Amino acid sequence: MTADTDYMTLALAQARRAGEAGEVPVGAVLVQGGQAIASGSNRPISGCDPTAHAEIEALRAGARALGTYRLNDTVLYVTLEPCLMCAAALVHARVRRVVFGAWDPRAGAAGSMLDAFALPGLNHRVDVFGGVLQDECAALLTGFFEARRR
């Protein structure tokens, strides 16, 4: 097992927590120096906060843990391709790398709908890699929405 799959497994645990709470099951883990320093899961419903995506929750927790919003030399693992809002936050936080699981053809901003990370003029470049544990990440989302439709 590689480090990417190990950390994505941790992100999947966060996603399951979100699903159990009635939120869309997306989870994220922020890593620095080989250590998970923060995590987050979707909570816009319970938090009455449209910005409470898993990535944002992990960034907020990481900033508190490090005492700065500049999350240099960090890697964010997230179970779903980041949306435009989250992609912009990841750039502004100066995250070095983003690794995601499932692609999001409707709202993904790392190549599916658009690639926000490649926009010209950004003050920081984020290395992005998708498809890690893609089947597991996608199955969690598919199962959640199928259960909602019943």
Side-chain angles (χ1 to χ4, degrees), residues 18 21-24 42-53 144 148:
E23 302 277 0
V24 175
N42 264 8
R43 51 174 224 88
I45 298 167
S46 63
C48 294
D49 180 356
T51 69
H53 290 193
F144 176 82
R148 291 273 192 237

Side-chain angles (χ1 to χ4, degrees), residues 25 135-150:
D135 293 341
E136 294 90 331
C137 293
L140 190 58
L141 288 158
T142 300
F144 176 82
F145 287 112
E146 284 177 353
R148 291 273 192 237
R149 291 184 193 112
R150 289 184 203 146

Side-chain angles (χ1 to χ4, degrees), residues 72-128:
N72 298 319
D73 298 319
T74 60
V75 180
L76 183 85
Y77 293 86
V78 61
T79 57
L80 182 64
E81 179 181 3
C83 70
L84 184 57
M85 174 187 70
C86 292
L90 289 159
V91 169
H92 287 289
R94 295 173 177 83
V95 169
R96 180 176 50 83
R97 183 172 182 241
V98 173
V99 178
F100 66 89
W103 295 86
D104 186 353
R106 292 185 180 169
S112 286
M113 188 181 79
L114 65 106
D115 188 354
F117 296 103
L119 292 172
L122 294 176
N123 67 337
H124 176 74
R125 292 289 170 200
V126 179
D127 180 32
V128 181

